[in-house]
């Protein structure tokens, strides 16, 4: 693991943040009804994971593009997941913005808004051979995907 600025990490964080900023003005109908019931442990894991992933993605140069090798495919697949994440958001912003729209699958990936970026950052960690980011992504994934699955289940029950 090499300390240094990661422009790839910055690109990923921008791709992650911009749609979320737009989402604050385009929340699904009744979202607050479910957000108030979030499991505190999952929220704590999500917040810790968000902070850790954001910091680690920026401070290790391991994630920057290197010479091409078979290992580079990890970065390619990771980036394709981030592109799918952006496409998921485009579909959501064009939808009626219901809870069902927000927690929908995309290309067969369940709760895509949570799963795609977690998987993308995990593959980025694999590409960078960075166990610290891997661990942070697991923490984030447990909290973030757990919250999304809970909300999806609650919204389906009505």
């Amino acid at each position: 693991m090499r300390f240094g600025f990661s422009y790839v990490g910055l690109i990923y964080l921008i791709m992650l943040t911009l749609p979320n900023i737009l989402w604050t003005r385009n929340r699904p109908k009744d979202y607050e009804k479910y957000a108030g019931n979030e499991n505190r442990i999952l929220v704590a894991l999500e917040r810790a994971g968000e902070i850790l992933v954001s910091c680690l993605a920026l401070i290790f140069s391991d994630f920057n593009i290197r010479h091409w090798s078979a290992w580079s495919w990890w970065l390619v697949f990771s980036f394709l997941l981030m592109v799918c994440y952006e496409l998921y958001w485009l579909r959501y912003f064009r939808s009626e913005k219901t809870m069902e729209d927000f927690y929908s699958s995309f290309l067969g990936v369940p709760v895509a808004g949570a799963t795609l970026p977690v998987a993308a950052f995990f593959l980025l960690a694999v590409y960078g051979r960075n166990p610290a980011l891997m661990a942070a992504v697991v923490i984030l994934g447990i909290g973030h995907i757990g919250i999304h699955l809970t909300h999806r289940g609650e919204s389906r029950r009505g």
Side-chain angles (χ1 to χ4, degrees):
M1 296 188 329
R2 294 179 315 241
F3 281 107
F5 177 71
S6 174
Y7 60 85
V8 171
L10 178 63
I11 291 167
Y12 274 49
L13 290 172
I14 290 169
M15 292 175 77
L16 185 70
T17 304
L18 288 178
N20 281 281
I21 291 170
L22 294 173
W23 174 79
T24 61
R25 296 187 183 263
N26 293 280
R27 289 186 177 150
K29 299 172 184 120
D30 298 326
Y31 177 77
E32 282 72 25
K33 173 179 160 184
Y34 302 101
N37 300 326
E38 291 174 347
N39 179 300
R40 290 181 183 163
I41 294 170
L42 291 178
V43 171
L45 290 170
E46 179 187 48
R47 297 297 181 263
E50 288 170 342
I51 292 166
L52 289 168
V53 167
S54 297
C55 292
L56 295 172
L58 292 173
I59 66 168
F60 288 105
S61 61
D62 303 323
F63 312 121
N64 292 336
I65 298 171
R66 303 183 291 264
H67 66 280
W68 179 262
S69 71
W71 199 257
S72 302
W73 284 107
W74 290 109
L75 180 61
V76 171
F77 292 134
S78 173
F79 186 74
L80 287 174
L81 290 174
M82 287 304 291
V83 169
C84 288
Y85 177 68
E86 301 302 317
L87 294 173
Y88 155 82
W89 277 112
L90 284 174
R91 187 185 70 185
Y92 172 76
F93 290 132
R94 292 181 177 176
S95 74
E96 294 180 25
K97 298 175 189 73
T98 65
M99 291 294 282
E100 187 175 321
D101 296 325
F102 187 56
Y103 294 112
S104 66
S105 296
F106 185 80
L107 298 175
V109 177
V111 289
T115 307
L116 288 169
V118 168
F121 274 91
F122 189 82
L123 292 183
L124 182 64
V126 171
Y127 168 74
R129 296 177 173 104
N130 191 299
L133 184 61
M134 285 180 199
V137 171
V138 169
I139 292 167
L140 171 64
I142 291 168
H144 194 55
I145 295 170
I147 289 169
H148 277 246
L149 288 172
T150 302
H151 285 190
R152 184 183 72 175
E154 290 171 346
S155 68
R156 287 182 174 173
R157 287 190 291 275

